[in-house]
């Protein structure tokens, strides 16, 4: 078992949440066996009913946290309806959690194109073939769609589908949590204030 809390440097004096996030993600890249960039993405539907699923973080900077998806999926329509979302990272072996909330913007076409171009050919075909979140009548129907788009784009570039792009969550609050003995965990919350951040420590 990794008693991460025993060796973890004190983070509660941090003043820059994105720098702290970069450090923690870097630590996770060394410790987590799979997908250190996996995060739970929470959204609400038109009735205010919450929904949640995992996605992969594909970029972050001072402007926010970016992931890519099908805009016609459940999450896509939910975000387009509210333009708000929340994220939660949990790095089990480090015993750390990061929570993010904020409004959402759509990444630029140039940014989405650049990321799409880095994806393996099979994933780019998949973006065309999968009507994500809609009912699939059989595995065969999906395989037929893959075969059909593979034939259509047999030669040359595979364009990015108009319904496939990225969302950027622009944080108004980021909370860092680290496990401590007897559930007396450390929590540090950053809240947006103008161009900067205010910080507060929270009871566990
Ligand atoms: C570790 C992990 C990473 C995933 N990453 C993505 C992703 O980056 N984009 C995406 O659209 N779906 C991703 N998925 C699939 C989603 O969890 C989900 O099944 C799918 O997007 C449909 O969600 P929706 O019906 O709520 O739109 C991932 C699943 C797992 C378990």
């Amino acid at each position: 078992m990794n008693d991460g809390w025993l060796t973890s440097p004190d983070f509660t004096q941090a003043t820059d949440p994105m720098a702290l996030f970069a450090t923690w993600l870097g630590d996770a890249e060394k410790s987590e066996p799979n997908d250190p960039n996996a995060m739970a993405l929470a959204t609400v539907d038109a009735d205010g009913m919450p929904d949640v699923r995992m996605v992969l973080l594909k970029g972050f900077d001072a402007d926010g946290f970016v992931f890519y998806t099908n805009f016609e999926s459940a999450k896509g329509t939910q975000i387009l309806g509210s333009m708000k979302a929340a994220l939660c990272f949990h790095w089990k072996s480090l015993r750390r959690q990061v929570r993010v909330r904020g409004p959402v913007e759509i990444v630029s076409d140039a940014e989405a194109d650049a990321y799409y171009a880095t994806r393996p050919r099979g994933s780019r075909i998949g973006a065309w073939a999968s009507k994500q979140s809609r009912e699939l009548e059989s595995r065969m129907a999906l395989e037929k769609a893959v075969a059909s788009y593979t034939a259509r784009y047999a030669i040359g570039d595979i364009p990015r589908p108009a319904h496939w792009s990225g969302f950027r969550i622009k944080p108004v609050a980021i909370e860092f949590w680290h496990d401590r003995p007897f559930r007396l965990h450390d929590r540090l919350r950053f809240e947006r204030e103008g161009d900067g951040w205010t910080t507060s420590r929270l009871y566990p």
Side-chain angles (χ1 to χ4, degrees), residues 10-12 176-180 184-188 201:
D10 184 16
F11 67 95
T12 58
F176 294 83
W177 179 104
H178 195 206
D179 179 272
R180 297 288 300 266
L184 300 176
H185 314 301
D186 278 327
R187 296 177 67 185
L188 180 64
R201 293 187 66 158

Side-chain angles (χ1 to χ4, degrees), residues 62 171-172 191-198:
V172 292
E191 286 175 289
R192 238 315 159 215
E193 196 176 75
D195 290 340
W197 298 94
T198 59

